[in-house]
Amino acid sequence: MKVLKAGAAVATAVVLALTATACGGGDKKDGAGDAGASGGTKSDKIAIGIKFDQPGLGLKTPDGKFEGFDVDVATYVAKELGYQPDQIEWKQAVSAERENLISNGDVKFIAATYSINDKRKAKVDFAGPYFLAHQDLLVRADDNSITKVEDLNKKKLCSVTGSTSAQNIKKDLAKDADLQEFPGYSECLTGLENKAVDALTTDDSILAGYAAQEKNKGKFKLVGLKMSNENYGIGLKKGDKDLQTKINAALKKMVADGSWEAAVKKNLGPANYKNEPAPQITEGS
């Protein structure tokens, strides 16, 4: 009898072990999340790359929160992929590291004023575009002396060190502009306010974000030039057509239900920014 009882115990243990294996056999999601899931559980996470230092677009606030148009777009897309806001792990995506973050699997996708171009498409795929920006000028609100780019000749143009935007103006459009280079946009804004410089140039969406900050309201205005077309896309791993299709569908839904326009007005509207309509999605088609 003791032998039979022992055998029964072993058999029971085997059954329990097999049952536990079957229940826990699913692969856990890694830090980059599984965007193919129809829904997530509270233990699931998705890592998304954004800028941490662009007011109105992607900003990490002093209290550790994240806000901006790109943040709202990424949050909406994540929800359509099955993730709630508390399941998002935000990762800083500085411009020079965006392709590496994607290819290394550190993030599932990136929404960080990421202009679509052929050089980048050789390394990553894009969904979208979801926003059309233009290079523009930011000037003091009471300065009406700059209405076209040629007016920058003999004036002081501010640029972040290494920026191509200002270099392009000085090379092609206003060769006599006095180019001043500062480490960051904040320094340029301080110089603009103090009349150390006359204009700041970069994407109009970025300029509007800075001008819309509470501390800057009423101090600056956009000139309204359209010196380039910058189609912002959502970057993702090359060859992930399934994710590309799902993100494109989420972006279309965001536009259709009015969430896209609301996000633009909330984040960039205080600067009286006149945004372009949502662009047609071309990537993956």
Side-chain angles (χ1 to χ4, degrees):
M1 292 295 292
K2 290 181 179 179
V3 174
L4 290 174
K5 287 181 179 179
V10 171
T12 301
V14 171
V15 170
L16 289 173
L18 289 172
T19 302
T21 301
C23 291
D27 292 333
K28 291 183 179 180
K29 296 176 184 178
D30 59 20
D34 181 2
S38 59
T41 66
K42 287 298 180 183
S43 63
D44 299 327
K45 294 287 185 181
I46 182 170
I48 301 174
I50 57 168
K51 292 291 180 67
F52 279 18
D53 59 352
Q54 287 184 343
L57 292 159
L59 182 69
K60 184 177 181 179
T61 63
D63 59 359
K65 295 180 180 179
F66 299 90
E67 62 184 29
F69 177 70
D70 282 345
V71 174
D72 288 347
V73 169
T75 301
Y76 189 101
V77 169
K79 186 175 182 180
E80 290 300 302
L81 297 175
Y83 297 91
Q84 297 303 312
D86 62 355
Q87 294 173 277
I88 298 174
E89 179 185 358
W90 299 110
K91 293 199 173 185
Q92 186 172 19
V94 298
S95 296
E97 290 298 318
R98 287 179 295 202
E99 286 83 19
N100 290 334
L101 288 170
I102 293 170
S103 61
N104 293 339
D106 296 321
V107 296
K108 198 66 177 181
F109 64 82
I110 286 178
T113 58
Y114 203 0
S115 296
I116 300 170
N117 61 42
D118 290 339
K119 182 178 179 180
R120 290 169 179 163
K121 286 172 70 172
K123 299 178 181 179
V124 301
D125 279 340
F126 286 94
Y130 64 91
F131 195 83
L132 174 58
H134 306 283
Q135 185 180 345
D136 198 1
L137 299 172
L138 191 71
V139 299
R140 289 181 292 277
D142 61 355
D143 185 357
N144 297 313
S145 66
I146 302 174
T147 59
K148 57 186 182 297
V149 69
E150 291 83 3
D151 291 335
L152 288 171
N153 286 311
K154 308 302 182 184
K155 289 187 177 289
K156 293 179 180 178
L157 174 64
C158 188
S159 166
V160 172
T161 304
S163 166
T164 58
S165 298
Q167 297 288 351
N168 289 339
I169 288 179
K170 186 169 175 58
K171 179 181 177 182
D172 298 321
L173 301 172
K175 296 182 179 181
D176 292 328
D178 181 5
L179 179 59
Q180 308 285 313
E181 292 187 288
F182 292 161
Y185 291 116
S186 296
E187 291 89 342
C188 277
L189 285 167
T190 300
L192 188 58
E193 183 177 5
N194 296 336
K195 300 186 178 181
V197 297
D198 300 302
L200 164 63
T201 187
T202 188
D203 293 358
D204 54 8
S205 56
I206 297 173
L207 296 174
Y210 277 101
Q213 283 186 291
E214 191 65 36
K215 63 181 180 180
N216 293 327
K217 284 183 179 177
K219 295 180 180 179
F220 310 111
K221 65 182 179 182
L222 279 76
V223 176
L225 306 180
K226 296 180 179 180
M227 294 180 280
S228 70
N229 292 327
E230 306 295 337
N231 282 290
Y232 294 166
I234 291 182
L236 59 140
K237 199 162 190 176
K238 199 160 185 66
D240 195 341
K241 297 300 181 184
D242 182 59
L243 179 58
Q244 184 184 51
T245 298
K246 290 177 178 177
I247 294 178
N248 280 338
L251 294 174
K252 290 177 181 177
K253 183 177 178 181
M254 187 178 187
V255 173
D257 68 16
S259 299
W260 183 91
E261 187 69 25
V264 174
K265 296 305 181 189
K266 180 185 80 172
N267 293 294
L268 303 176
N272 294 319
Y273 176 61
K274 297 177 177 60
N275 64 283
E276 298 276 9
Q280 292 295 313
I281 290 175
T282 57
E283 299 304 304
S285 59

